[in-house]
């Protein structure tokens, strides 16, 4: 068996709001640089994208691989049901995809130019039945976000999937939650957790910004399904942003992003007094409403969760460059990644003295990140949170005082382990 770093939720360029660069050759190349081994195909129900996948992937013993680069793909996609809940699904092969397309096409629109997620007039239970008939597996996508998620519309897995709950084995946590939050709800303890990017562009601060490390016999659907159903201990690590970086972490106004406690939001009838915008309930508060536990608790098989910051963001902070796509950030990113093999290695494994030879400031920032000297301005209302890397524990304490008003929806910060400690 081998460890694979997997990003199981992306979108292709034929979907609405997605970069035209999200094509298999580019995705594979960027995945390689990032250090990812398996990517979910995304958008398999889109006819044009399905054709693009068939053109660019080859099949070897049930595994799909880019014809030119050594990156594997799991076929699948995302779909919106009648209650506006998004689900991820995975399929064994192209035949299943054709069957599913045919079955679902009578229930709604599956594709079209610039079209968003395929949307059908079936509830989750009926959808799960059809996915099963096509030999696929289904689970909630970004399960806690205030829009288009299971927990924004239902209070349990059972109430969403009905009798089909017996066939739901995994859940995508989404950017605003992590295993700590998700396991506060006891109904989630039977599920495998996956952390994915939901990337709409292939650049390294998007693709693989969250990923799951899984031990597999073969990089294929059948073995992944086995992991989700029976051998969840083969999920070795969930890697993702600190939930405070997620754009729906705190309860906040969706226009001016002012943050509110859940009590004051209720008192204000979810209307922002500053700008008259709508206050959106944050993932953190939604989880607290549903939580069965007050303290951290996990099933035995649950993998540790490692919080990371994309390398490009760290370089941006260290160099104080204008933006993440600037030449200064991109050239340093490429230099580091080509020298050390992948972004994940640079972030977690390479000796700081080695990174120092390329850029001293970046090395210092990576060191501080590894030590956990990071503060977060929490996201909310649709605005991403922001990490602040501090040079030392002292600086961190000072900044904490200085920023205490904006860190408000902030749980007490805990330093984190390095990869070597897991
Ligand atoms: Zn979605
Ligand atoms: Zn998506
Ligand atoms: Zn407002």
């Amino acid at each position: 068996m081998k460890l694979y770093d997997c990003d199981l939720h992306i979108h292709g360029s034929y979907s609405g709001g997605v970069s035209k660069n999200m094509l298999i050759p580019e995705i594979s190349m960027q995945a390689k640089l990032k250090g990812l081994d398996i990517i979910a195909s995304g958008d398999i129900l889109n006819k044009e994208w399905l054709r693009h996948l068939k053109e660019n992937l080859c099949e070897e013993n049930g595994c799909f691989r880019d014809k030119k680069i050594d990156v594997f793909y799991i076929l699948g996609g995302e779909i919106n049901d009648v209650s506006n809940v998004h689900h991820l699904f995975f399929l064994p092969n192209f035949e299943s995809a054709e069957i599913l397309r045919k079955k679902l096409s009578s229930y709604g629109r599956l594709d079209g130019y610039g079209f968003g997620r395929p949307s059908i007039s079936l509830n989750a239970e009926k959808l799960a039945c059809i996915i099963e008939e096509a030999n696929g597996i289904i689970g909630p996508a970004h399960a806690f976000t205030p829009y288009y998620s299971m927990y924004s519309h239902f209070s349990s897995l059972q109430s969403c999937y009905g009798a089909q709950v017996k066939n739901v084995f995994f859940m995508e946590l989404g950017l605003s939650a992590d295993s700590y939050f998700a396991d506060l709800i006891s109904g989630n303890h039977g599920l495998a957790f996956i952390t994915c990017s939901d990337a709409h562009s292939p650049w390294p601060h998007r693709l693989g910004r969250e990923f799951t490390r899984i031990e597999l016999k073969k990089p294929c659907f059948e073995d992944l399904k086995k992991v989700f159903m029976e051998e969840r201990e083969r999920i070795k690590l969930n890697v993702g942003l600190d939930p405070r970086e997620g754009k729906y972490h705190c309860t906040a106004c969706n226009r001016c992003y002012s943050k509110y406690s859940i009590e004051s939001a209720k008192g204000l009838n979810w209307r922002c007094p500053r700008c008259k915008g709508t206050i959106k309930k944050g993932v953190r508060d939604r989880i607290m409403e549903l939580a069965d536990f007050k303290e951290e608790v996990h099933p035995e098989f649950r993998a540790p969760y490692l919080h990371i910051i994309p390398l490009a963001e760290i370089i941006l902070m260290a160099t104080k460059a204008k933006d993440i796509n600037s030449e200064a950030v991109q050239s340093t990113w490429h230099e580091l990644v080509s020298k050390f093999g992948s972004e994940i290695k640079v972030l977690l494994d390479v000796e700081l003295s080695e990174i120092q030879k390329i850029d001293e400031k970046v090395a210092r920032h990576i060191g501080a990140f590894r030590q956990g000297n990071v503060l977060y301005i929490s996201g909310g209302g649709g605005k991403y949170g922001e990490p602040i890397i501090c040079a030392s524990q002292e600086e961190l304490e000072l900044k904490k005082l200085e920023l205490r008003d904006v860190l408000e929806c902030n749980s007490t910060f805990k330093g984190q382990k390095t990869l070597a400690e897991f």
Side-chain angles (χ1 to χ4, degrees), residues 8-209:
L8 297 175
H9 184 174
I10 64 151
H11 292 282
S13 65
Y14 298 109
S15 258
V18 175
S19 154
K20 62 182 186 326
N21 296 304
M22 278 303 256
L23 293 166
I24 294 298
E26 185 72 45
I27 296 170
S28 298
M29 203 167 78
Q30 295 297 332
K32 223 42 219 165
L33 291 170
K34 186 90 187 186
L36 298 167
D37 308 297
I38 301 178
I39 310 288
S41 73
D43 300 343
I44 194 102
L45 295 172
N46 182 306
K47 197 165 49 188
E48 296 296 315
W49 186 248
L50 182 59
R51 187 181 308 148
H52 177 71
L53 292 172
K54 286 180 178 173
E55 275 167 20
N56 285 278
L57 305 181
C58 55
E59 187 186 352
E60 293 163 1
N61 309 319
C63 303
F64 292 86
R65 196 173 61 81
D66 186 312
K67 279 181 182 165
K68 298 202 176 112
I69 305 182
D70 194 21
V71 172
F72 289 92
Y73 284 81
I74 302 282
L75 305 184
E78 182 179 30
I79 190 162
N80 182 41
D81 74 13
V82 72
S83 311
N84 275 327
V85 172
H86 283 188
H87 307 267
L88 287 181
F89 62 89
F90 302 110
L91 300 171
N93 49 44
F94 287 125
E95 292 72 56
S96 285
E98 300 284 7
I99 293 170
L100 193 60
R101 265 188 63 81
K102 209 171 278 171
K103 288 195 178 211
L104 290 177
S105 56
S106 46
Y107 298 106
R109 196 173 154 194
L110 301 181
D111 52 23
Y113 181 73
F115 191 59
R117 304 307 144 252
S119 208
I120 51 152
S121 59
L122 291 173
N123 66 21
E125 183 174 7
K126 295 209 176 80
L127 172 63
C129 270
I130 292 178
I131 299 277
E132 208 214 348
E133 281 164 19
N135 296 316
I137 48 173
I138 188 172
H142 42 75
F144 306 96
T145 47
Y147 299 97
Y148 304 114
S149 84
M150 181 180 81
Y151 280 119
S152 67
H153 297 288
F154 297 93
S155 54
S156 69
L157 209 60
Q158 168 81 47
S159 56
C160 179
Y161 289 97
Q164 279 295 313
V165 72
K166 63 178 195 300
N167 287 321
V168 178
F169 304 106
F170 72 91
M171 166 187 282
E172 183 197 23
L173 297 180
L175 265 50
S176 297
D178 60 8
S179 310
Y180 162 79
F181 281 111
D183 272 337
L184 292 176
I185 300 170
S186 60
N188 296 336
H189 282 205
L191 298 174
F193 289 165
I194 55 171
T195 29
C196 320
S197 69
D198 200 355
H200 289 47
S201 75
W203 316 129
H205 63 294
R206 293 287 185 249
L207 187 69
R209 61 185 162 178

Side-chain angles (χ1 to χ4, degrees), residues 266-413:
K266 281 178 188 161
L268 292 163
N269 213 10
W270 305 96
R271 193 58 56 209
C272 174
R274 294 195 174 103
C275 78
K276 305 279 178 274
T278 306
I279 302 173
K280 270 301 188 189
K281 193 188 287 174
V283 164
R284 184 175 184 269
D285 288 322
R286 179 62 180 145
I287 291 175
M288 290 313 171
E289 278 178 353
L290 299 167
D292 304 291
F293 304 105
K294 287 207 168 60
E295 280 176 9
E296 181 162 11
V297 55
H298 302 286
E300 209 162 293
F301 64 81
R302 184 73 67 223
Y305 194 110
L306 178 70
H307 296 120
I308 54 161
I309 301 174
L311 178 60
E313 278 185 30
I314 295 182
I315 298 170
L316 178 69
M317 281 182 254
T319 57
K320 299 198 165 65
K322 258 207 310 290
D323 73 276
I324 206 154
N325 294 315
S326 63
E327 173 60 27
V329 174
Q330 292 301 318
S331 63
T332 309
W333 186 89
H334 275 283
E335 198 180 346
L336 286 166
V337 169
S338 53
K339 170 121 202 243
F340 299 115
S342 77
E343 166 163 342
I344 293 163
K345 286 188 183 142
V346 176
L347 277 177
L348 305 174
D349 304 321
V350 178
E351 291 284 339
L352 287 179
S353 55
E354 291 298 308
I355 300 173
Q356 227 164 18
K357 289 178 194 158
I358 292 179
D359 191 308
E360 213 160 297
K361 276 193 207 132
V362 172
R364 225 178 301 135
H365 273 67
I366 291 175
F369 154 72
R370 287 183 187 173
Q371 297 222 309
N373 288 337
V374 187
L375 279 180
Y376 290 91
I377 296 177
S378 300
K383 187 182 179 190
Y384 284 113
E386 194 191 314
I388 300 168
I389 296 181
C390 304
S392 62
Q393 189 66 36
E394 294 73 50
E395 189 186 320
L396 182 125
E397 294 303 331
L398 279 174
K399 274 251 156 57
K400 218 189 235 173
L401 277 177
E402 188 187 310
L403 295 167
R404 64 179 177 273
D405 293 337
V406 280
L407 299 173
E408 204 182 321
C409 166
N410 187 4
S411 46
T412 38
F413 180 76

